């Protein structure tokens, strides 16, 4: 509820080719305090267009749709030119019928904040929307590690921006890349949680990353986690 209280109602866009599923999810979302569905798309192209038009806080994105699928839609949503035009961040939460879906992993690399199985409970869906809206991942660290391990066989060179991080920021980066919470990171690096939050903010800014999920992706992409 913290994110809702600070920013008002969380606006949600639904993207799924099954009308019955969209309608059911809309009923669940609209029944939650501090959430509302602002639009629905039947394919990826429509989802991209509606994100541009409606600027929702969270997109529930079906991964498998005819025409443009959820992976490509996610990639287009997070194209730099689109991101730079937005008045506020948008988070994408992928919906899939397959656990540890390879396509979901690709969508996460493109900018999605995690994934949920389509048979999730209304409570889990509500909590997931709030979690991604606050900039966190909806994916257990072991699952995220498994996904990333399969996708990054040959790491690419570390960019100069990472080398510019301070020693403390690198310690926090490594802990965050391994899925630790702020409290766990604070204990590990002997700092307060508020200091950890400050370091996380600096890391995201210096590396031009959107959220903590992208810290994990960045770490695996560049071979910074063992």
């Amino acid at each position: 509820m913290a994110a809702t209280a600070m920013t008002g109602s969380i606006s949600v866009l639904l993207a799924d080719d099954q009308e019955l599923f969209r309608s059911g999810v809309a009923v669940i979302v609209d029944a939650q305090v501090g959430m509302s569905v602002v639009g629905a798309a039947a394919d990826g192209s429509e989802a991209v267009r509606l994100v541009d038009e409606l600027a929702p806080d969270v997109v529930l994105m079906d991964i498998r749709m005819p025409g443009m699928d959820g992976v490509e839609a996610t990639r287009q949503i997070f194209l730099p030119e689109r991101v730079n035009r937005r008045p506020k961040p948008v988070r994408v939460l992928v919906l899939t019928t397959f656990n540890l879906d390879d396509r979901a992993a690709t969508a996460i690399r493109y900018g999605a904040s995690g994934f949920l199985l389509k048979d999730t409970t209304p409570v889990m869906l509500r909590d997931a929307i709030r979690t991604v809206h606050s900039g966190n991942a909806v994916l257990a660290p072991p699952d995220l590690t498994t996904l990333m391990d399969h996708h990054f066989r040959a790491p690419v060179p570390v960019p100069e921006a990472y080398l510019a991080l301070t020693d403390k920021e690198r310690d926090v980066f490594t802990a965050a890349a391994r899925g630790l919470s702020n409290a766990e990171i604070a204990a590990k690096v002997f700092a307060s949680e508020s200091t950890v939050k400050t370091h996380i903010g600096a890391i995201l800014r210096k590396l031009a990353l959107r959220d903590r999920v992208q810290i994990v992706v960045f770490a695996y992409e560049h071979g910074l986690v063992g």
Side-chain angles (χ1 to χ4, degrees):
M1 289 294 294
T4 301
M6 289 188 295
T7 61
S9 181
I10 300 174
S11 57
V12 179
L13 175 70
L14 308 179
D16 194 286
D17 60 316
Q18 298 179 2
E19 184 176 357
L20 185 60
F21 183 81
R22 292 198 309 270
S23 299
V25 172
V27 170
I28 293 171
V29 173
D30 283 333
Q32 308 305 317
V33 176
M35 290 183 195
S36 61
V37 173
V38 295
D43 57 43
S45 297
E46 189 176 13
V48 173
R49 178 179 62 80
L50 289 178
V51 167
D52 287 342
E53 291 180 4
L54 303 175
D57 295 310
V58 177
V59 181
L60 298 182
M61 180 77 75
D62 182 20
I63 206 71
R64 298 170 186 269
M65 293 182 285
M68 183 188 293
D69 65 11
V71 176
E72 176 59 19
T74 299
R75 187 188 72 81
Q76 292 201 20
I77 285 169
F78 289 111
L79 288 173
E81 57 267 31
R82 281 196 163 95
V83 172
N84 293 336
R85 289 199 302 264
R86 290 189 189 116
K88 60 181 180 180
V90 60
R91 313 293 184 188
V92 171
L93 180 58
V94 169
L95 301 177
T96 177
T97 54
F98 301 97
N99 194 24
L100 300 184
D101 191 334
D102 208 48
R103 293 191 188 186
T106 303
I108 289 170
R109 289 185 64 182
Y110 286 148
S113 296
F115 75 87
L116 278 180
L117 295 179
K118 280 193 167 185
D119 62 357
T120 191
T121 67
V123 171
M124 290 177 66
L125 178 63
R126 177 202 67 194
D127 292 346
I129 291 171
R130 289 177 178 161
T131 298
V132 299
H133 180 247
S134 67
N136 293 310
V138 176
L139 197 59
D143 288 343
L144 187 53
T145 298
T146 300
L147 282 175
M148 295 302 105
D149 278 344
H150 282 89
H151 270 256
F152 297 106
R153 298 298 186 186
V156 299
V158 176
E160 290 292 327
Y162 176 79
L163 301 178
L165 297 180
T166 66
D167 290 342
K168 184 64 74 174
E169 286 169 352
R170 290 193 195 183
D171 290 342
V172 172
F173 173 95
T174 299
R178 289 175 176 151
L180 273 62
S181 67
N182 282 350
E184 291 169 330
I185 296 173
K188 189 175 183 64
V189 303
F190 306 104
S192 67
E193 285 191 52
S194 61
T195 298
V196 169
K197 289 179 182 178
T198 299
H199 285 315
I200 291 289
I203 291 165
L204 295 176
R205 184 176 64 256
K206 290 180 179 181
L207 300 183
L209 302 176
R210 284 179 294 276
D211 52 36
R212 294 173 73 115
V213 185
Q214 295 303 302
I215 289 179
V216 179
V217 173
F218 183 98
Y220 274 90
E221 182 177 18
H222 298 289
L224 298 171
V225 287

